[in-house]
């Protein structure tokens, strides 16, 4: 029911823009219903783990919403992972089905390639599915770490997935004029609930064309935007907020970006377990050098030593 308010207020407003096209809220709702019906036809039932390793484009967004509507548990598998890493996540999570655009032999999971998934969607209707979804049941598994051993799956409910976005909207005053742009892999669960381009000139052209208002990019991309003569200050004129995450952003990059575009770079800190933003610089500042902003109001942050003090 996450789209219900937007469908009531403005079903023909633009909801999603990707490489392959544009969807209004009404169209996204219809396609999500189609994906839900297709998943049911493929044998997916509430509680089943549905994995996806797909490009950053419309199909992964639609499949995610479809999985939520049938009460499945979403597992986003980054396409950049090596086959053994993908197989580990699929086996560890107990995925029963994998949507992908290439083969993954030996996965022990039913692989539904692009052609079969397209056929399933074509055979499905757009009526809502008759499934009662428990908002507090498991709805997504996000794998994290890997630097200290095998990645571990953090489990989230639908309610938990919706909380960070809700809090950001309320605490930062977002409204229907928000156009949120992201440059991180959508198969990563925390990006799915926040809403890939890595070429600076391409990003600048995209921001200008789509009138993006809030954008999130990694430090390396901020550096390129600030340093490249081919990117003009006016290219990012629609932006109201610029966030950075995924790695520490040197203060020199923040300074250069602000000098060129007249916008501060807002620090963020996130956790897969949260499942996304934990802290962010407040609108209007201040920014504390080398800090990661202030915790969102629904979270309590504690700093403990090895003894738990």
């Amino acid at each position: 029911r996450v789209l219900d308010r937007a469908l009531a207020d403005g079903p023909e407003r633009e909801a999603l823009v990707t490489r392959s096209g544009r969807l209004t809220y009404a169209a996204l709702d219809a396609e999500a219903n189609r994906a839900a019906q297709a998943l049911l036809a493929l044998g997916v039932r509430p509680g089943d783990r549905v994995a996806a390793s797909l490009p950053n484009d419309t199909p992964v967004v639609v499949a995610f919403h479809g999985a939520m509507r049938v009460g499945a548990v979403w597992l986003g598998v980054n396409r950049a992972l090596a086959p053994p890493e993908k197989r580990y996540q699929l086996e560890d999570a107990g995925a029963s089905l994998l949507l992908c655009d290439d083969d993954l032999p030996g996965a022990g999971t039913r692989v539904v390639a692009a052609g079969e998934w397209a056929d399933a969607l074509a055979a499905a209707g757009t009526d809502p599915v008759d499934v009662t979804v428990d908002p507090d049941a498991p709805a997504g598994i996000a794998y994290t770490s890997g630097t200290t051993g095998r990645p571990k799956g953090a489990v989230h409910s639908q309610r938990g997935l919706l909380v960070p976005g809700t809090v950001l909207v309320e605490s930062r005053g977002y409204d229907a004029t928000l156009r949120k742009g992201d440059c991180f892999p959508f198969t990563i669960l925390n990006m799915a609930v926040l809403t890939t381009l890595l070429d600076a000139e391409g990003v600048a052209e995209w921001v200008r064309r789509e009138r993006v208002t809030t954008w999130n990019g990694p430090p390396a991309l901020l550096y390129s935007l600030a340093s490249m003569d081919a990117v003009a200050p006016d290219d990012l004129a629609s932006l109201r907020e610029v966030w950075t995450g995924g790695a520490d952003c040197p203060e020199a990059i923040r300074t250069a970006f602000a000098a060129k575009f007249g916008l501060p770079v807002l620090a963020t800190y996130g956790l897969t377990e949260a499942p996304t933003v934990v802290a962010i610089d407040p609108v209007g500042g201040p920014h504390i050098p080398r800090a990661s902003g202030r915790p969102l109001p629904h979270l309590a942050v504690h700093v403990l030593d090895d003894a738990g003090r």
Side-chain angles (χ1 to χ4, degrees), residues 7-279:
L7 289 168
D9 293 345
E12 297 310 313
R13 289 208 314 264
E14 208 161 52
L16 179 70
V17 179
T18 70
R19 290 186 183 92
S20 63
R22 300 166 184 271
L23 292 180
T24 63
Y25 278 99
L28 176 59
D29 181 60
E31 291 307 307
N33 285 336
R34 190 188 303 279
Q37 289 202 25
L39 289 170
L40 289 176
L42 289 168
V44 174
R45 296 295 179 264
D48 287 352
R49 277 74 168 154
V50 172
S53 186
L54 295 168
N56 265 23
D57 212 331
T58 301
V60 71
V61 181
V62 169
F64 172 77
H65 279 271
M68 296 299 96
R69 293 183 180 201
V70 299
V73 183
W74 178 262
L75 171 63
V77 180
N78 197 320
R79 297 171 76 228
L81 294 178
E85 295 171 314
K86 292 180 181 179
R87 284 194 288 268
Y88 170 75
Q89 291 189 9
L90 294 169
E91 292 165 2
D92 188 63
S96 59
L97 184 145
L98 169 64
L99 303 174
C100 64
D101 58 356
D102 56 1
D103 194 16
L104 187 63
T109 300
R110 179 182 175 184
V111 174
V112 177
E116 184 180 358
W117 179 236
D119 291 341
L121 289 172
T126 59
D127 292 334
V129 295
D130 185 18
V131 176
T132 300
V133 176
D134 179 357
D136 295 309
I141 303 175
Y143 277 81
T144 182
S145 182
T147 55
T148 56
R150 285 194 178 275
K152 306 162 193 67
V155 182
H156 299 286
S157 66
Q158 288 199 19
R159 191 189 305 277
L161 291 176
L162 290 169
V163 165
T166 303
V167 172
L168 284 165
V169 167
E170 295 297 329
S171 63
R172 303 182 86 78
Y174 295 148
D175 58 22
T177 64
L178 175 71
R179 292 177 70 84
K180 180 70 169 67
D182 281 305
C183 290
F184 292 100
F186 199 89
T187 45
I188 299 174
L189 183 63
N190 58 10
M191 297 314 301
V193 300
L194 278 180
T195 43
T196 292
L197 297 163
L198 290 178
D199 161 52
E201 291 183 67
V203 167
E205 191 276 332
W206 167 66
V207 169
R208 183 178 64 248
R209 182 183 72 244
E210 298 301 336
R211 309 181 310 285
V212 175
T213 60
T214 297
W215 173 70
N216 188 16
L221 190 47
L222 295 178
Y223 171 81
S224 295
L225 289 167
S227 62
M228 290 180 64
D229 292 337
V231 177
D234 287 348
D235 289 335
L236 306 189
S238 64
L239 290 178
R240 303 171 195 162
E241 289 185 34
V242 175
W243 306 358
T244 188
D248 180 51
C249 184
E251 295 298 326
I253 294 180
R254 296 181 196 280
T255 301
F257 190 95
K260 181 173 182 178
F261 298 107
L263 278 174
V265 175
L266 304 180
T268 67
Y269 177 76
L271 287 173
T272 303
E273 297 88 345
T276 174
V277 177
V278 171

